[in-house]
Amino acid sequence: MIRNVVRISGVKHLVFAFVEEASGFDRCYEKNEAEYRALIKLYQKTIPKNKESVFCFNKLKPVPQKILKIGYEKAGYDWEIIKWGCPWGSIAAKISKEPNGNNYDNWSVEYEFYTVNSPPLALIKTVKRKNKGLRFKHLFFEE
């Protein structure tokens, strides 16, 4: 498992807009859903149904419908590796430091989550490119 810490900072309204943008629900593959859920159970004790994640990979870089229809095993895994940098998205994501700041221009929020096999470098690169007004610091540690 890889522990990731992502700190996002910038102007207050952009930090809050990112917090809103990053929250969402996990993707749902139409085929091979049972196998996909079984794999996730290896790393999580329970899988909450319809639980919103505070740092949702699928919200930040959505899995295309055509990939969802093909299924995780046949197309989803490879797509996630290429577009996110790791499979399955964030695990146990939380906001470790709530949005805060001392003036309008200097606000930040910090997320902590786990990923499997590797950090989500491709996702972070995409998110940085889409949010040019924010600064990103991404630290990751193998555990």
Side-chain angles (χ1 to χ4, degrees), residues 6-76:
V6 178
R7 183 182 176 92
I8 296 123
S9 56
V11 177
K12 181 179 180 179
H13 77 276
L14 294 178
V15 170
F16 278 92
F18 182 85
V19 169
E20 178 81 19
E21 177 191 355
S23 294
F25 293 90
D26 198 11
R27 68 261 177 257
C28 184
Y29 288 92
E30 292 185 17
K31 298 183 180 182
N32 304 318
E33 185 66 18
E35 289 96 359
Y36 171 70
R37 292 288 178 198
L39 289 173
I40 287 187
K41 281 187 180 180
L42 293 173
Y43 291 94
Q44 291 179 275
K45 299 284 187 236
T46 60
I47 301 171
K49 300 228 186 240
N50 298 324
K51 184 173 188 266
E52 190 170 17
S53 172
V54 294
F55 199 86
C56 179
F57 288 18
N58 191 53
K59 182 87 182 288
L60 295 167
K61 177 69 177 168
V63 177
Q65 268 315 114
K66 66 181 181 180
I67 300 295
L68 292 173
K69 286 183 181 184
I70 294 169
Y72 181 77
E73 194 172 89
K74 290 185 178 178

Side-chain angles (χ1 to χ4, degrees), residues 108-126:
S108 65
V109 64
E110 190 171 283
Y111 294 91
E112 192 172 320
F113 56 90
Y114 290 89
T115 53
V116 177
N117 300 334
S118 57
L121 299 178
L123 176 76
I124 298 297
K125 185 177 179 180
T126 297

